[in-house]
Amino acid sequence: MTTGLIITIVIGSIIKLLMSPPSIAVAWGVSKFELHKKLDSNDVMVTFNGKNLEEEEKNRFTDYFNKASFLKKHYIFPGNEKLFLQPETNVTPFIMNVKSGKKDVNFFVFSYDNHVDVVKKYKKKVVSYSISSEHLQNFTV
């Protein structure tokens, strides 16, 4: 009798965990697929026109990038990656090199008047999206 009760409680607990997982597990799972991740300024190197930004400017830029609001994702068809990495505009991008562990990710940040375009390049993949940030649009070196 008690064995059946214990087995029922264990099975019920497993089903409850699968149906409504703890928020820590959900946050971890969502962070694996999030496009606009929060960056740690210690892992970031920011360059503009081939010059590295100073520590204070780099920290401000990274903070503004983290606080930016995600607007939309741009779909890139195979073979058109170069159009996003080197657009036909006169905007000079900020280049953020992020190194965390074995991963190397490059962000190209293009600031326009009404939005900011970000092109994320990692491994051989290129992803583009737009963010909204007054501070990044007006950021000067």
Side-chain angles (χ1 to χ4, degrees):
M1 176 86 175
T2 57
T3 308
L5 180 66
I6 292 174
I7 292 173
T8 305
I9 290 174
V10 169
I11 291 174
S13 299
I14 291 172
I15 290 173
K16 179 172 180 356
L17 279 174
L18 291 176
M19 298 305 279
S20 61
S23 59
I24 293 172
V26 172
W28 176 80
V30 168
S31 73
K32 292 294 181 187
F33 298 102
E34 108 185 301
L35 186 60
H36 183 67
K37 292 186 177 197
K38 305 295 181 208
L39 303 176
D40 184 14
S41 62
N42 295 331
D43 299 334
V44 176
M45 185 174 70
V46 182
T47 58
F48 181 73
N49 256 353
K51 295 181 181 179
N52 290 338
L53 266 60
E54 295 178 12
E55 193 70 26
E56 183 180 317
E57 289 176 328
K58 177 185 81 164
N59 291 339
R60 270 190 319 140
F61 188 84
T62 306
D63 186 46
Y64 295 154
F65 183 81
N66 288 338
K67 290 180 181 176
S69 301
F70 179 84
L71 292 178
K72 66 178 180 175
K73 179 180 178 183
H74 304 285
Y75 293 97
I76 301 175
F77 296 104
N80 290 343
E81 293 89 0
K82 189 174 181 181
L83 295 174
F84 287 88
L85 289 171
Q86 300 166 351
E88 296 179 3
T89 62
N90 57 357
V91 176
T92 305
F94 287 91
I95 301 172
M96 300 172 62
N97 298 320
V98 181
K99 190 172 195 120
S100 58
K102 295 179 182 178
K103 297 180 181 178
D104 252 353
V105 181
N106 295 328
F107 291 91
F108 299 87
V109 181
F110 297 92
S111 295
Y112 298 103
D113 292 334
N114 56 355
H115 71 284
V116 177
D117 283 339
V118 178
V119 181
K120 180 179 177 181
K121 182 180 178 187
Y122 56 100
K123 296 182 185 175
K124 292 184 179 183
K125 296 181 182 179
V126 177
V127 179
S128 177
Y129 58 95
S130 293
I131 57 177
S132 174
S133 172
E134 286 282 329
H135 298 294
L136 282 179
Q137 291 168 343
N138 302 323
F139 191 85
T140 57
V141 180

